[in-house]
Amino acid sequence: MSLALPLDAAQRPATEAAPGAPAAAAHLLEARGLGKAFGGVSVLQGVDFDLRAGEVHALMGENGAGKSTLMKILAGVHRPDSGEMRLGGRPIRPASPRDAQDLGIALVHQELQLMPDLSAAANVFIGRERRRAGWLLAPARQLADTRALFARLALDVDPRRRVGSLSIAQQQMVEIAKALSLRARVLIMDEPTAALNPTEVDELFRVVRQLRAEGVGIVYISHKMDELQRIADRVTVLRDGRRVATQAMAGADMGELIRLMVGRTLNQAVPDTPDLSAAPVVLAARHLSRGRSVRDASFTLRRGEILGLAGLMGAGRTELARLIFGADPRDGGEILVHGRRVEVRCPADAVRAGIAYLSEDRKRLGLATGLDVETNLLLPSLARFAGRLGRVDRSAARAAAQGLVQRLGIKTPSLAQVVGRLSGGNQQKIALARWLLREPDILIVDEPTRGVDVGAKAEIHQLLRAFAASGKALIVISSELPELLGLAHRIVVMCEGRISGELAAADATQEALMALATTRLAA
């Protein structure tokens, strides 16, 4: 008896066969008619999804489309309000992540769930420590088992090393080793390359292909279209909590997939770049230094300009931004705003000077995720709505917050919604909107579209361009070179803490930027 529910024309898969896989391949994991609502807001509506052994099944959709909710149901984090799931043909209903893990379903979160002060081995087997005689800890066996897992992943890391000392890519591999230690048959990967450079992405893909060859079924969530073309066998698209398509990735039309995701065609044309060489300088950094992370960095930023800041991970981009914003003390150098030297000893000094900074870590440093949307939007600008006695004009403040929600297209049930319950893209829009309300002269945005879908990315790019066109100035830090090439008027490149070069938009290519990003300068 078939469990499949009828689909309308928009939902019917174009094909069910993964490239190189038999058309009748057995389903490893099946979900049928899944529904879920939070606080009366429906986020999944009758969603079907299936995964075969030995395939990579990509899941695409805008932020808020229901991807994370679907994956959390499969991984036992949430329980569905309706529908059913089967693993290997048997009904399952995991009540917790531990239940799902016992069934062989593991989830690698976008925000890594590791304990930085514990060793890699301790993280891999946390809560399932290796023991002998039933109760005595067996650290030697745990180290040996961890080494075996790392060898399987070609991860050259001492299992005794503290996780906090590892690179993001190495931490990602520790998370995967943890999943393998559970003998996972189903591995769910949520934006696994968000913080990886191209070389690290290649290494991750090598591991994914190896696991696929071993028969592991992999659900792969990513907003990066080029990655999905490289690694996925099939793709399912969600929109507004519904499944709208499932098809083979081979030969898929990327433009059509984007249209299915967002319900419209995106205008991704790069606008003409104006000549700003005669525009007044609004920010000048001169010989900024901090240890070896930032060394003798100097550059200028002009009115109406978007200045890109490129470089590999660890090149010093974020560290330079934090020096300008006063988040870290500098060893030397000076900062000039509108030609006048300013002392920026802390972020409050920077804000008074008209400088704002949006961190790459929006959850830890960019938002108060336990507070509501309205509070998050208004926090940097409360003084603007305060009267003589310091009382906030609640009506004016709420109207400003509501205006931002509408202007930026933030999807939230209300201004009272807790920010931590919104999708990543909507959280990013709120983190950006709170500074737009403050109206700074200079805005520094670090990885503004990390973990954001193509629709939200286009909207954020439009907001940044409009901000610069209004006579403000922007510094955009991004690991995605196409993003910088499409946004920036000039691009400054860093390598090992130093500025290794600068290119005008007309002269910049990915190859030229990578050459500068790997150019070592004299110490």
Side-chain angles (χ1 to χ4, degrees), residues 290 320-330 335 337 342-357 435 438 444:
R290 176 174 168 79
L320 177 58
R322 288 176 61 86
L323 290 187
I324 296 169
F325 192 59
D328 294 326
R330 62 182 185 270
I335 298 169
V337 176
V342 294
E343 285 299 328
V344 181
R345 298 185 180 90
C346 64
D349 290 341
V351 172
R352 280 191 289 270
I355 304 171
Y357 171 55
W435 285 122
R438 177 81 190 193
I444 307 170

Side-chain angles (χ1 to χ4, degrees), residues 18-19 21 51-57 152 180 185 187 204-218 227-234 249:
L51 176 69
R52 299 181 182 126
E55 81 162 341
V56 177
H57 193 148
R152 183 177 172 190
L180 295 181
R185 301 162 62 192
L187 181 60
L204 176 66
F205 282 5
R206 182 195 63 77
V207 172
V208 169
R209 293 186 182 101
Q210 176 183 325
L211 295 175
R212 176 172 59 186
E214 294 173 3
V216 177
I218 299 168
E227 286 186 4
L228 299 183
Q229 288 180 293
R230 289 174 58 192
I231 200 67
D233 300 308
R234 286 191 297 159
M249 182 57 80

